[in-house]
Amino acid sequence: MPITHITYERDQQRVIDQDGLLQFPDISPNEYPTLYRFAPPPVLEDIYGPRDPTAYKPTWLVRTSDMKPVRGSEVHERYYALSYSWSQSGDCPMNGQDEKQLHRQKIVLYRKKTKRRRPRGRTRIRVPMKPRYTSFEKLIQQISKDFGIRYIWWDQWCINQASKEEKQREIKQMHNIYKHAYCTVVLVPELEYTGLQSHLPGYNAVNIGAISKSEWITRAWTLEEAFMSKRLLFLGRNVHMWSHTSDNILLSETNTAMFLRAVCTRSMKWNACIALQYARKRTSTKEHDRYFALANMFHEKMSDLNTSYKQPLKDLALWFYERLAMDDISILYFGTPEQFDMDNTEDVIVEGSEDTSLPSWTGIGGLHVRRLFTAGKHDTPECFGISAADYSVSGGSISITCTSIAVSIHNENMYDQSRELWARANSDILDWTISSASYNNLKFVVTTGVNMYDHFRISDAYGMRGTHFLPLKKKSSRTLVNDLSTPNIYGAVMSLTEYCSECIILFGVRYEDPHLKSCHVSPVIMRNGDYYKAIGICLLFNAPELFTNVVTRRKQNFIIK
């Protein structure tokens, strides 16, 4: 059942590593007098200075000592920002009352206390007090007091929600507000310690995967807020985690780990592909807000954003996608998503979240891959074979001029063989090539009904389901043939969003995967009348050497709609 209100226990414990390990080991209740199970939250050092009169400040801030709005121009110290789900900041029933009868925002606030086990006894025990119901602003004031926050920004108080003009003006400033905040406090009440044992003996842990299942992670605005922030404080019911904790999540492939690494590692720069991967599964109360939030994430190329809610939604969506794709071809990298990720959470696209009549190259028919960053210390692919002269976006179409590989799809059943016979094209055949006999038509086989994508490992790296693979067999020294009868090697895997009998791999548009040696990723298209339609991606192993004989000699122009 979704949490509709925020419960905050003032006795907090800090998460200290990416596996959810808590700061202190499991303590016997008899030891509570010397060390509480939930350590109080630390107070940040150096949050007040140095004073910089030229630093950006929002129009309004809230002074937490008396919860009064003050002009940002009058504040000469650092400020915090708040990120939360509106649905969890409203009323919740109390004492059997109907929610509609409540006039104030009611939030549960816990505070543990110590009392004697017996009158005049020496032994003390920790017991929870009765829940104290308070307003959302009082909750924020208490959190601010505990964490040493003197000024904070949050939309309900710092934007006049009744003024359309002010909302439109402030929406354009959201990226600056979160970008210049010293830290953003993220309210995730679903994150809590419930007695989980750590992998280390004697230590407790919290399930970090709760973040990927939270209400906060489903909202479009919170994606922008997390993306733009320099630091994040994830504040749960009785635990909290600072964003630098996620810097060590390098090998984990869970959705939670990938997202935390993406938003918390500031050396990474998101491109169209990764932004749309996270945005596609988020919702907003007003559909326009989805594009307003995303446009703010790329404000350098979308500074002329029109924030009017009166404009047709499809016009706004098409304007956004065209601007996003103008110098970022990664928008074409999408496929069929996995049913489940490694957190056992459904990896689904929000139904009805976008207009399905948008151009195919927007990826509306699938889900973008989650591992194509354009810059940073980790995950840094390089795009080959495409230049500004070969790529353009206008009138709802993408024009690409590049080399390609023609593909036909077959439904042969090839699974009588032992799976041990199958092997991915690897370094053992690094300088081998596919026979030129397959030049006009490289044959791929459908994997429908068989859990082959688990074998191909496409799901771990990209969150995609492999739908087709390229069967190969050794023919002679350094030569492979595209064999449909007795293959034992696969040279490529595709993840397509719809059925087709023929398609084209845009071989001239390739990203190299830094984690899979000699693995390149290319978009896949199919003919649709006089134009082409984007339908997925293809992972090419041992590229480009393996495919030298099957790639077109000349570049061809493709108009994708």
Side-chain angles (χ1 to χ4, degrees):
M1 181 179 179
I3 295 178
T4 57
H5 59 278
I6 295 173
T7 301
Y8 169 68
E9 296 185 12
R10 291 190 61 203
D11 288 332
Q12 291 263 317
Q13 189 154 201
R14 183 166 63 95
V15 179
I16 60 174
D17 80 349
Q18 66 273 17
D19 293 321
L21 187 69
L22 297 181
Q23 186 172 18
F24 293 111
D26 190 12
I27 303 299
S28 168
N30 294 330
E31 298 181 61
Y32 277 141
T34 58
L35 180 62
Y36 294 159
R37 183 184 300 272
F38 299 103
V43 176
L44 275 183
E45 298 178 358
D46 191 31
I47 66 172
Y48 306 127
R51 295 185 178 183
D52 182 3
T54 64
Y56 174 88
K57 291 295 188 301
T59 306
W60 293 97
L61 289 168
V62 175
R63 185 172 55 214
T64 61
S65 60
D66 56 6
M67 298 305 285
K68 298 293 185 183
V70 296
R71 290 196 173 276
S73 58
E74 300 174 0
V75 177
H76 302 292
E77 59 187 66
R78 295 169 177 171
Y79 69 93
Y80 280 62
L82 186 67
S83 181
Y84 65 103
S85 171
W86 273 47
S87 63
Q88 293 177 334
S89 67
D91 297 337
C92 65
M94 180 180 65
N95 299 331
Q97 288 179 297
D98 185 88
E99 190 170 355
K100 295 180 180 179
Q101 296 176 343
L102 299 177
H103 299 290
R104 297 188 62 200
Q105 297 171 332
K106 304 294 183 181
I107 305 295
V108 183
L109 178 66
Y110 279 102
R111 172 65 174 172
K112 292 182 189 286
K113 68 176 182 179
T114 302
K115 74 174 185 179
R116 298 183 188 277
R117 185 182 296 274
R118 299 185 182 89
R120 301 180 180 276
R122 294 183 177 181
T123 304
R124 294 175 177 267
I125 59 174
R126 296 272 290 171
V127 296
M129 294 178 63
K130 293 182 179 180
R132 172 184 154 202
Y133 295 85
T134 185
S135 62
F136 184 65
E137 54 266 29
K138 289 293 184 182
L139 176 72
I140 300 305
Q141 186 177 33
Q142 185 62 64
I143 291 173
S144 299
K145 179 180 179 181
D146 292 343
F147 283 85
I149 300 171
R150 293 174 51 165
Y151 292 93
I152 193 168
W153 185 95
W154 91 85
D155 49 6
Q156 289 191 38
W157 272 46
C158 297
I159 300 178
N160 182 359
Q161 302 297 323
S163 171
K164 294 182 180 180
E165 293 76 14
E166 183 172 339
K167 286 183 67 175
Q168 291 182 13
R169 183 177 66 251
E170 293 299 312
I171 282 175
K172 287 188 174 183
Q173 292 300 315
M174 293 287 281
H175 65 281
N176 278 323
I177 292 170
Y178 284 89
K179 178 180 178 180
H180 290 90
Y182 177 71
C183 180
T184 295
V185 179
V186 179
L187 300 184
V188 189
E190 296 88 348
L191 183 64
E192 62 176 322
Y193 169 65
T194 57
L196 182 67
Q197 293 296 312
S198 167
H199 62 285
L200 295 179
Y203 276 78
N204 294 325
V206 63
N207 180 17
I208 299 299
I211 295 176
S212 68
K213 304 172 187 177
S214 67
E215 178 70 18
W216 174 82
I217 210 169
T218 67
R219 309 302 294 172
W221 280 116
T222 58
L223 178 64
E224 180 208 348
E225 293 162 4
F227 172 78
M228 297 305 304
S229 299
K230 291 184 291 188
R231 302 175 184 86
L232 295 168
L233 168 60
F234 294 93
L235 186 59
R237 173 175 176 145
N238 50 22
V239 294
H240 60 274
M241 180 178 73
W242 301 97
S243 55
H244 64 75
T245 302
S246 301
D247 288 346
N248 297 323
I249 304 180
L250 301 179
L251 300 179
S252 177
E253 300 290 352
T254 65
N255 266 4
T256 304
M258 296 288 283
F259 174 73
L260 291 179
R261 181 174 52 164
V263 298
C264 296
T265 306
R266 303 319 305 165
S267 60
M268 290 183 180
K269 181 181 179 182
W270 288 17
N271 56 15
C273 178
I274 195 67
L276 293 176
Q277 200 276 340
Y278 290 122
R280 189 58 54 78
K281 291 180 283 186
R282 293 182 178 237
T283 62
S284 57
T285 304
K286 297 180 179 179
E287 285 301 317
H288 287 72
D289 286 338
R290 170 192 298 277
Y291 300 106
F292 294 160
L294 286 170
N296 271 325
M297 293 170 60
F298 298 91
H299 55 90
E300 296 90 351
K301 61 176 72 173
M302 303 188 191
S303 57
D304 57 339
L305 170 68
N306 177 8
T307 56
S308 171
Y309 288 93
K310 294 182 179 180
Q311 61 182 311
L313 181 62
K314 186 174 180 179
D315 291 351
L316 172 63
L318 190 57
W319 174 88
F320 163 76
Y321 280 115
E322 285 186 346
R323 287 296 183 91
L324 187 63
M326 277 184 176
D327 58 355
D328 192 345
I329 202 169
S330 71
I331 197 170
L332 292 174
Y333 287 77
F334 60 88
T336 296
E338 279 285 13
Q339 288 184 329
F340 298 97
D341 66 21
M342 296 182 68
D343 287 328
N344 296 319
T345 303
E346 288 193 7
D347 194 11
V348 297
I349 303 170
V350 178
E351 294 294 336
S353 59
E354 291 192 83
D355 189 345
T356 55
S357 65
L358 288 169
S360 65
W361 53 263
T362 63
I364 195 66
L367 188 68
H368 285 80
V369 302
R370 63 188 180 192
R371 204 167 76 176
L372 281 182
F373 295 91
T374 56
K377 297 179 181 178
H378 319 293
D379 296 321
T380 313
E382 181 179 356
C383 190
F384 296 91
I386 194 74
S387 65
D390 297 328
Y391 176 76
S392 63
V393 182
S394 64
S397 302
I398 286 181
S399 173
I400 296 178
T401 302
C402 67
T403 56
S404 61
I405 299 176
V407 170
S408 63
I409 305 298
H410 297 260
N411 293 305
E412 279 79 358
N413 187 351
M414 305 179 136
Y415 310 110
D416 295 334
Q417 304 180 61
S418 170
R419 288 183 62 175
E420 282 71 20
L421 294 177
W422 291 88
R424 176 171 63 83
N426 52 38
S427 57
D428 294 337
I429 54 173
L430 189 60
D431 55 350
W432 290 45
T433 59
I434 299 174
S435 170
S436 58
S438 302
Y439 172 74
N440 293 324
N441 206 337
L442 200 60
K443 300 176 179 63
F444 274 70
V445 178
V446 177
T447 64
T448 304
V450 180
N451 194 25
M452 293 298 287
Y453 56 80
D454 212 22
H455 182 51
F456 294 147
R457 313 302 295 170
I458 186 175
S459 60
D460 288 354
Y462 297 98
M464 298 290 109
R465 176 155 56 90
T467 58
H468 305 77
F469 71 99
L470 175 64
L472 300 173
K473 185 179 180 179
K474 293 182 180 179
K475 180 181 179 182
S476 60
S477 178
R478 304 186 184 282
T479 302
L480 298 169
V481 293
N482 186 195
D483 188 276
L484 298 184
S485 56
T486 58
N488 54 16
I489 295 175
Y490 62 94
V493 182
M494 293 196 298
S495 180
L496 305 185
T497 58
E498 61 181 80
Y499 171 81
C500 63
S501 59
E502 295 181 346
C503 58
I504 296 172
I505 300 172
L506 298 182
F507 188 78
V509 184
R510 306 190 311 277
Y511 275 96
E512 183 178 21
D513 191 310
H515 296 279
L516 297 175
K517 187 176 181 180
S518 299
C519 175
H520 290 204
V521 190
S522 292
V524 179
I525 61 175
M526 61 177 284
R527 181 170 285 281
N528 186 29
D530 295 332
Y531 302 98
Y532 291 87
K533 185 176 184 180
I535 59 172
I537 58 170
C538 182
L539 274 70
L540 303 152
F541 303 111
N542 286 12
E545 291 80 6
L546 185 64
F547 302 89
T548 300
N549 293 331
V550 295
V551 179
T552 56
R553 302 292 185 265
R554 296 180 179 179
K555 293 182 178 181
Q556 180 182 348
N557 180 250
F558 302 96
I559 306 297
I560 306 173
K561 289 194 173 183

